[in-house]
Amino acid sequence: MLALTEAAVGVIHDLTTQPGLPEGTGLRITSQPDNGSGPAYALSLSQVPEAADEVIMAQDARVYLEQGVAQQFQDKVLDARIDEQGEIAFLISQQASPMR
């Protein structure tokens, strides 16, 4: 299952709890057509998940993953960074392997 860093949880919570958004709003991640440079994804705010979405809850942050994206992100971590201009960047990386 997709894991969220503390930074991602904080950014998603801030985005989805802005005034005027209904309770339960989450960040929805969907796949986009491959344009030849590898997989592409779209992020949007969604009031409710779609019927087939996988719902990730971490503290007060909700992420809704389109079914195909959920499969692709099973072993991934979502992180977020905010630059000096306030621009948000979400980053996907591989989860660390458990130590044996």
Side-chain angles (χ1 to χ4, degrees), residues 12 15-18 20-30 42-51 53-57 60-66:
I12 293 166
L15 286 172
T16 59
T17 58
Q18 295 177 39
L21 292 176
E23 188 173 328
T25 297
L27 180 71
R28 185 157 194 266
I29 304 176
T30 59
L43 285 72
S44 61
L45 296 181
S46 180
Q47 295 179 10
V48 294
E50 297 291 323
D53 283 355
E54 181 174 317
V55 178
I56 308 291
M57 295 279 299
D60 291 332
R62 292 176 178 85
V63 177
Y64 305 140
L65 298 174
E66 182 181 62

Side-chain angles (χ1 to χ4, degrees), residues 3-97:
L4 306 178
T5 65
E6 286 185 38
V9 168
V11 168
I12 293 166
H13 178 264
D14 290 348
L15 286 172
T16 59
T17 58
Q18 295 177 39
L21 292 176
E23 188 173 328
T25 297
L27 180 71
R28 185 157 194 266
I29 304 176
T30 59
S31 61
Q32 298 295 295
D34 188 341
N35 61 6
S37 64
Y41 304 96
L43 285 72
S44 61
L45 296 181
S46 180
Q47 295 179 10
V48 294
E50 297 291 323
D53 283 355
E54 181 174 317
V55 178
I56 308 291
M57 295 279 299
Q59 297 166 9
D60 291 332
R62 292 176 178 85
V63 177
Y64 305 140
L65 298 174
E66 182 181 62
Q67 188 174 22
V69 172
Q71 293 171 351
Q72 294 170 17
F73 286 3
Q74 278 187 359
D75 59 350
K76 304 290 189 273
V77 176
L78 179 66
D79 193 14
R81 298 199 180 127
I82 302 174
D83 68 16
E84 295 168 357
Q85 291 76 36
E87 295 291 319
I88 299 168
F90 285 100
L91 308 148
I92 297 289
S93 61
Q94 193 72 28
Q95 288 183 18
S97 298

